[in-house]
Amino acid sequence: MSQRRQLSYDPYNDHYVALGISPTASPDEIQLAFRGRAKQLHPDRNADERAKEQFQRVNEAYDVLSNPMRRAEYDEVRYLASAGRRGRAMASSGRSGLLGLLRGPYRYVVAVIGVVLFGNILFILATRLNPLPSAVTATPVRPDAMIAPQALDPNADAVCDPGATISSPGNDAKLPSAVEVSGSTIGPYEVDWSLISFDAGGRPQTNWQTLTRGSAPVLHGTLVSREKTINLPQGQRLFLRLTVSPGGDQPIQICQVIVTFLARGASTTVAQ
């Protein structure tokens, strides 16, 4: 019996992009999209030299996404690969920015700041070895003030991808009983929401529900209008997530924010 090939993620051959569907697509939507794409790209119907290669990609994508276990495995490696790319991009941006400061006209200012920081480190080490008198006390800091909103969920992105932007509401916004979601996309998109909850181990749990879908790019316009209602108690926090599927060889783009609704027992409008 042959061993099943281990799945990997290629951002230039994303299975969801190959079928032209959202990462939250249902099995029926996956099957419908596959039939349409296969009919369009079948070598008997399409004489384009690239059609055969694209047809193979569509078959491979359907083989993975139509199997619940393989789809779950693919979603996991896809998320890990996307998170790794964002981390490397941020690290590269940080290195190039630091080198620019060291070589630019502000290099002397940077040198002075470095000396001051080094002096502060020496002072901290000295006070640890020789504590200050007990009459000198530090100003207490609230523990919750030290935790960024994104720390509640490792999947929450502080900075959204360029091709998927929620411009309103902002991250950690406190909202009234009704709100519109606006932003921009570079292709077909979907907006979802999920309440913030945690399991017994303190790990965040999400149950994504679709608010709306759009088939065309949006430039600084309304993503979700005030039509569908959700009943939420005062202070209820939830995630809003925008997922964009540009198609072709472009990877999926995701934007996620945390919002709080203020009206107790009100009908909170957040969907199309």
Side-chain angles (χ1 to χ4, degrees):
M1 181 177 179
S2 60
Q3 186 177 6
R4 190 181 70 180
R5 182 170 64 88
Q6 185 176 4
L7 292 175
S8 60
Y9 177 65
D10 179 2
Y12 298 102
N13 186 22
D14 188 290
H15 290 342
Y16 290 103
V17 174
L19 292 178
I21 57 176
S22 164
T24 59
S26 66
D28 290 340
E29 290 173 327
I30 292 173
Q31 186 178 37
L32 184 63
F34 167 71
R35 289 178 177 176
R37 293 286 288 163
K39 182 178 180 181
Q40 177 186 8
L41 298 171
H42 196 282
D44 291 343
R45 293 175 173 266
N46 196 325
D48 193 317
E49 295 181 356
R50 296 172 298 178
K52 182 177 181 181
E53 179 182 353
Q54 293 176 351
F55 182 72
Q56 292 174 345
R57 289 185 179 183
V58 167
N59 277 310
E60 180 183 357
Y62 179 71
D63 179 62
V64 172
L65 300 183
S66 62
N67 184 312
M69 294 183 63
R70 287 175 63 79
R71 181 183 182 183
E73 180 182 350
Y74 179 75
D75 287 345
E76 182 177 359
V77 298
R78 178 175 177 271
Y79 168 74
L80 292 176
S82 298
R85 288 201 313 277
R86 287 195 293 270
R88 288 191 296 271
M90 292 177 66
S92 175
S93 175
R95 286 195 299 270
S96 61
L98 180 59
L99 289 175
L101 287 175
L102 292 177
R103 295 172 180 173
Y106 299 102
R107 58 184 180 275
Y108 300 111
V109 177
V110 175
V112 172
I113 294 174
V115 171
V116 173
L117 290 177
F118 182 71
N120 287 336
I121 293 173
L122 291 179
F123 175 76
I124 293 172
L125 292 176
T127 53
R128 284 182 178 274
L129 295 175
N130 300 284
L132 296 173
S134 57
V136 180
T137 58
T139 303
V141 179
R142 301 195 335 266
D144 59 343
M146 302 171 61
I147 303 175
Q150 290 76 21
L152 293 173
D153 183 4
N155 297 325
D157 295 327
V159 179
C160 295
D161 292 335
T165 303
I166 297 178
S167 57
S168 176
N171 195 60
D172 208 33
K174 293 178 174 59
L175 305 174
S177 60
V179 63
E180 289 184 350
V181 181
S182 62
S184 59
T185 76
I186 60 173
Y189 67 94
E190 177 172 314
V191 181
D192 309 295
W193 71 277
S194 174
L195 295 176
I196 297 178
S197 61
F198 301 88
D199 61 14
R203 292 178 294 270
Q205 302 294 300
T206 53
N207 180 23
W208 293 107
Q209 301 185 48
T210 301
L211 295 178
T212 187
R213 294 188 176 98
S215 60
V218 176
L219 181 61
H220 302 297
T222 299
L223 300 174
V224 178
S225 59
R226 307 184 181 198
E227 292 180 10
K228 184 178 178 181
T229 60
I230 301 174
N231 293 322
L232 296 173
Q234 181 180 12
Q236 179 65 64
R237 306 188 78 201
L238 56 80
F239 294 115
L240 288 178
R241 181 181 69 183
L242 167 64
T243 304
V244 180
S245 305
D249 294 333
Q250 301 183 57
I252 299 294
Q253 309 260 0
I254 296 176
C255 181
Q256 183 167 296
V257 299
I258 300 174
V259 296
T260 304
F261 287 97
L262 302 179
R264 177 181 295 276
S267 294
T268 303
T269 302
V270 291
Q272 181 174 330

